[in-house]
Amino acid sequence: PEALAALARRAGVTLPTGRARAQEEAAMRERQRLRAALAYAQKRYREALDGPSGRAARQYLEQRGLSRETIDRFGLGYAPPEWEFIAGSGRSAGIDRADMFKAGLLLERQSGGFYDRFRNRITFPIWDAAGELIGFGGRALGDEQPKYLNSPDTPLFRKGKELYALNLAKPSIRRENKVCIMEGYMDVIMSFQHGIDYTVAGMGTALSHEQART
């Protein structure tokens, strides 16, 4: 600690107080819990895609021309048309519902309690540039609106900041010294499948200044 304080003075940096450090540690623990909730949901969505309830989702992906290798590379899954597919099983697995709600996986009932945000949708895990799971996109299989639904802004995810598949595209962006920004998830996934792997996409909204800087 003494060496750190001396270096901070030399660099003109103000070290955080004990209270600030405690707040940051609490925020870090919360982010870890939210990541655990997202990882649990991703595991369940992947299992559902390969299970009996995922037949229509598998057929849709096959009709779109996606190979199994591509489906696995992008971690695509399926959220069944159940109100508590994640809310119920997550609680049994020891995932706190408050954390699932804060991670954007659940919605709150007016009468109390929670239910799943993503239902009867193909799920697209969203990673940050470092490859950490931070949220999901969901594509409706039926007539549900909106057709594409994203996680809300959370302590891990901000729609105006992230670029879909940047973690996968970074090596080729550096190699090619260019990037192709596409409209949506499926555009990026299909371009990767055809060998064009320096592509990214926004989150269904106009490209922000922050995304452009990224």
Side-chain angles (χ1 to χ4, degrees), residues 37-38 41 45 86 100-101 103-107 115-118 136:
L38 292 171
Y45 293 149
I86 294 297
M100 289 189 280
F101 172 74
L105 295 167
L106 306 182
L107 294 168
Y115 63 96
D116 287 14
R117 177 182 296 274
F118 299 103
F136 289 95

Side-chain angles (χ1 to χ4, degrees), residues 36 48 52 55 75-76 87 99 104-105 119 124 136 167 181 207 213:
R55 182 179 179 184
L76 304 188
D99 290 331
L105 295 167
R119 303 181 308 280
F124 300 79
F136 289 95
N167 62 308
I181 302 174
L207 189 72
R213 282 195 300 271

